[in-house]
Amino acid sequence: EKGGWDSFMDKEIHEDPAAVQRTLLGRLNKDGDLNLDEVHIDEHDFKAVDKIIVIACGTASYAGMVAKYAIEHWVRIPVEVELAHEFRYRDPILTPRTLVVAISQSGETMDTLMALRHAREQGSKVLAICNTQGASIPRESDAVLYTHAGPEVAVASTKAFVAQITAAYLLGLYLAQVKGAMFRDEIHQVLDSLKQMPAKIQWVIDTQTATIAEAAKRMVDAKSFLFLGRHVGYPVALEGALKLKEIAYTFTEGFAAGELKHGPIALVDEGEPVVFIVPPERGRNVLHAKVISGIEEVKARGAFIIAVAEEGDPDVERYADVVFWRPKAPTLMSPLVDVVPLQLFAMDMANLKGYDVDKPRNLAKSVTVE
Ligand code: F6R
């Protein structure tokens, strides 16, 4: 039940911190090492994995994109992310050493299910990251890592997304552990930052909700929005754009900020709202300055800038019309916080327009047809 919340979506966004926390629970042993025995793929097979292909649709595919940046960095093996319905109808190069990771909240998405069958027929092992116990996708997979976000009722996926990133990160760190790709201390450090994320998400919910509601009021009549980010901020931009289009029926486009000058900047006109995901670690992360120069470029063309950025970022303060602040977090952790204001913003926009945020038109919670 909805409890005291206006909608399931509202309730579920507020469960983002718990979704991350519950997905971490019980997966670290006393010494702080990862224990994923539940996955039932033996260490020998895990050690042999030399490539990962993530298959998923929609929001789940964006969680996979986020994980690609992290897992390639940690494990030093290639990670491809492909929409399940595209993967299914091509001739992918799979070997017994390829680990296919199917990400699905419902576990019933037909496109993803068909793609996983396609992978298994060719001898690859499939690991499901799923939120629904005993659903078709985990049942047909070789192994499962459950997200423990709890049931997600609203059609638009929210808490499942942060739980999917968390689970995919655990998988990546576990691979790094069994393959010896990282020092134990490094893994522990990453796990420590991961454990701090629920509190940081809570900070965003507690301190940014009013600003977000205010921004939605200001923007409610906007006809279109652009969402831009780089690196892990890129899939976050795609997810922010998807949320807004699916529940507020606003035309949105999300793309990699580096693409601006390769075409999309032509769309920018006086007053066009542009949402930027600004990377953290200003001064240390070269991409921070690159995104800021992207902001300057669209600002010069009259865009209305909404930024998701680290608390107190002086460059952002200078250029942005509206800022949704995030607390300090390492780059790879930032998607877990950055998506939250975008979820709230989409919900506020839909509410202001009088739409049913839990049941957007034309959409079903699980898409069980191809
Ligand atoms: C977006 C949304 C969809 C799903 C997609 C995959 O808010 O809900 O894009 O993410 O249909 O669904 P699952 O994860 O159930 O396979």
Side-chain angles (χ1 to χ4, degrees):
E1 256 316 297
K2 268 192 280 203
W5 302 98
D6 288 346
S7 61
F8 279 107
M9 187 176 184
D10 199 14
K11 170 174 183 273
E12 289 162 6
I13 296 171
H14 284 83
E15 288 169 351
D16 281 342
V20 172
Q21 190 149 32
R22 285 200 300 256
T23 300
L24 292 172
L25 208 69
R27 287 167 170 166
L28 305 179
N29 67 22
K30 283 198 301 295
D31 307 322
D33 296 324
L34 270 164
N35 179 353
L36 294 188
D37 285 351
E38 60 185 297
V39 157
H40 299 307
I41 289 185
D42 64 54
E43 271 200 31
H44 178 80
D45 286 333
F46 259 129
K47 269 201 187 111
V49 170
D50 64 0
K51 182 166 105 178
I52 290 178
I53 302 182
V54 176
I55 50 172
C57 301
T59 293
S61 77
Y62 302 147
M65 283 174 72
V66 169
K68 171 187 165 78
Y69 291 88
I71 297 176
E72 288 188 340
H73 179 68
W74 292 330
V75 193
R76 307 304 302 149
I77 59 170
V79 180
E80 292 172 20
V81 184
E82 191 158 5
L83 294 169
H85 34 90
E86 285 299 317
F87 175 89
R88 154 97 179 86
Y89 290 103
R90 65 182 181 89
D91 202 0
I93 298 160
L94 297 166
T95 75
R97 301 180 66 168
T98 307
L99 180 66
V100 172
V101 177
I103 307 183
S104 175
Q105 188 286 127
S106 63
E108 297 297 346
T109 300
M110 188 53 75
D111 287 319
T112 308
L113 183 60
M114 297 305 276
L116 96 74
R117 287 181 185 159
H118 190 52
R120 292 195 75 202
E121 273 160 19
Q122 291 170 69
S124 285
K125 287 229 179 331
V126 177
L127 182 148
I129 291 181
C130 185
N131 198 45
T132 313
Q133 211 83 27
S136 306
I137 289 171
R139 264 202 336 262
E140 292 200 24
S141 295
D142 297 282
V144 196
L145 186 56
Y146 280 107
T147 46
H148 296 301
E152 194 179 63
V153 177
V155 164
S157 191
T158 55
K159 62 177 179 171
F161 178 73
V162 290
Q164 284 159 351
I165 294 173
T166 306
Y169 277 16
L170 290 179
L171 173 66
L173 292 167
Y174 185 67
L175 270 169
Q177 183 177 292
V178 299
K179 288 169 86 75
M182 284 164 87
F183 292 114
R184 201 165 162 228
D185 282 1
E186 287 179 288
I187 297 177
H188 287 189
Q189 252 175 37
V190 179
L191 286 169
D192 275 342
S193 351
L194 203 46
K195 282 190 261 177
Q196 292 170 27
M197 294 320 288
K200 293 184 195 256
I201 299 173
Q202 192 61 51
W203 182 91
V204 171
I205 293 173
D206 292 344
T207 66
Q208 303 300 295
T209 298
T211 312
I212 296 163
E214 201 52 48
K217 270 189 210 144
R218 260 174 99 175
M219 306 310 298
V220 69
D221 293 323
K223 292 280 169 290
S224 65
F225 280 80
L226 304 180
F227 285 75
L228 288 83
R230 291 185 77 133
H231 191 264
V232 286
Y234 168 37
V236 172
L238 296 175
E239 172 62 3
L242 178 62
K243 285 292 88 95
L244 192 54
K245 72 172 67 119
E246 69 183 334
I247 63 168
Y249 318 144
T250 307
F251 192 92
T252 64
E253 198 179 357
F255 48 87
E259 276 294 288
L260 253 180
K261 54 185 169 304
H262 300 290
I265 198 161
L267 288 169
V268 178
D269 200 357
E270 197 60 40
E272 174 68 23
V274 185
V275 182
F276 278 90
I277 315 301
V278 182
E281 307 189 76
R282 177 177 182 270
R284 288 203 292 138
N285 179 353
V286 287
L287 291 178
H288 178 276
K290 301 253 182 220
V291 171
I292 295 296
S293 76
I295 295 182
E296 287 178 71
E297 276 170 44
V298 301
K299 181 88 182 162
R301 289 160 180 84
F304 183 87
I305 311 287
I306 301 170
V308 179
E310 186 164 289
E311 231 190 326
D313 185 327
D315 300 318
V316 171
E317 273 174 342
R318 185 152 54 238
Y319 298 113
D321 297 288
V322 172
V323 190
F324 304 152
W325 296 113
R326 92 161 80 77
K328 253 192 186 344
T331 299
L332 290 174
M333 298 298 146
S334 59
L336 293 168
V337 268
D338 289 356
V339 73
V340 179
L342 305 182
Q343 295 170 345
L344 289 165
F345 182 67
M347 180 181 74
D348 289 345
M349 290 280 282
N351 277 327
L352 287 168
K353 292 176 168 194
Y355 301 141
D356 182 344
V357 298
D358 288 338
K359 289 197 177 61
R361 68 188 182 199
N362 309 341
L363 293 173
K365 183 62 184 162
S366 46
V367 185
T368 53
V369 292
E370 257 196 274

